[in-house]
Amino acid sequence: YGLWSSIRIDALRGEQVLIRLAGAANATGSYQLTVGAEAGIGGRVTAEDGGAPIESVGVRVFNDDGAWAGIDWTDSSGDYVVTGLAEADYFVGTVSGASGFLHQLHEDILCPWGPPIGCDPTEGDPVVATLGQTAVVDFELVAEGVISGTLTSASGGSALRGTVVLYDEDGSQI
């Protein structure tokens, strides 16, 4: 923060908190103390089949312009919380980790590779973040499917080296 200092504490409305201000190397001068509430978005990421928590999933929050606003990683219980948000509408999606699972936007919108690479984050349902509260957004991730096989020559059936490209029903490369 350079010459700016910052601290974040959890306090309840009406709770007294003592804050001591001191200058670096006994420096003196004027100061500005800003106290305010923040909004948060948190929840749990689980597997769709069975509901087991998924650890180490990145959950990213985007503002209404699709710009990054915050990120957190799920713990061993699948829980995450992104704090420090202003009161506004946000878009939330899983972005990394979760090997073997398909990423998605809130509310159950599949997003290959996670937003913003795999899809526009503003295609998800907006989440209202309110000061002093944590909006709950849970995700149930779908397990990835696996396609495997051997590429062979049509004449003779010998194995070939190459790349197989998959397309969905709309003709889009997946």
Side-chain angles (χ1 to χ4, degrees):
Y1 291 96
L3 297 177
W4 295 90
S5 296
S6 173
I7 186 170
R8 180 177 300 169
I9 60 170
D10 292 323
L12 300 174
R13 184 180 309 268
E15 181 180 359
Q16 289 188 343
V17 177
L18 177 63
I19 300 173
R20 179 178 181 262
L21 299 173
N26 294 321
T28 61
S30 62
Y31 65 90
Q32 177 180 341
L33 177 63
T34 304
V35 178
E38 60 184 31
I41 298 174
R44 179 167 287 163
V45 179
T46 59
E48 182 184 56
D49 59 348
I54 306 173
E55 186 175 4
S56 301
V57 175
V59 180
R60 187 172 280 180
V61 175
F62 300 87
N63 68 19
D64 60 354
D65 292 328
W68 176 79
I71 189 169
D72 193 26
W73 300 90
T74 57
D75 61 17
S76 60
S77 298
D79 295 333
Y80 74 94
V81 63
V82 177
T83 59
L85 302 173
E87 187 168 86
D89 289 350
Y90 293 95
F91 298 91
V92 186
T94 61
V95 294
S96 56
S99 179
F101 292 91
L102 299 173
H103 292 291
Q104 60 181 249
L105 297 173
H106 174 68
E107 178 85 38
D108 298 327
I109 300 169
L110 290 179
C111 179
W113 307 291
I117 296 168
C119 62
D120 178 351
T122 62
E123 292 175 357
D125 289 346
V127 176
V128 178
T130 304
L131 293 179
Q133 298 180 20
T134 300
V136 177
V137 177
D138 294 331
F139 290 94
E140 290 183 351
L141 300 185
V142 177
E144 291 179 331
V146 176
I147 297 175
S148 65
T150 303
L151 189 60
T152 59
S153 168
S155 60
S158 58
L160 300 174
R161 296 184 79 180
T163 302
V164 176
V165 180
L166 301 174
Y167 296 89
D168 66 15
E169 62 274 359
D170 298 325
S172 298
Q173 182 176 332
I174 57 172

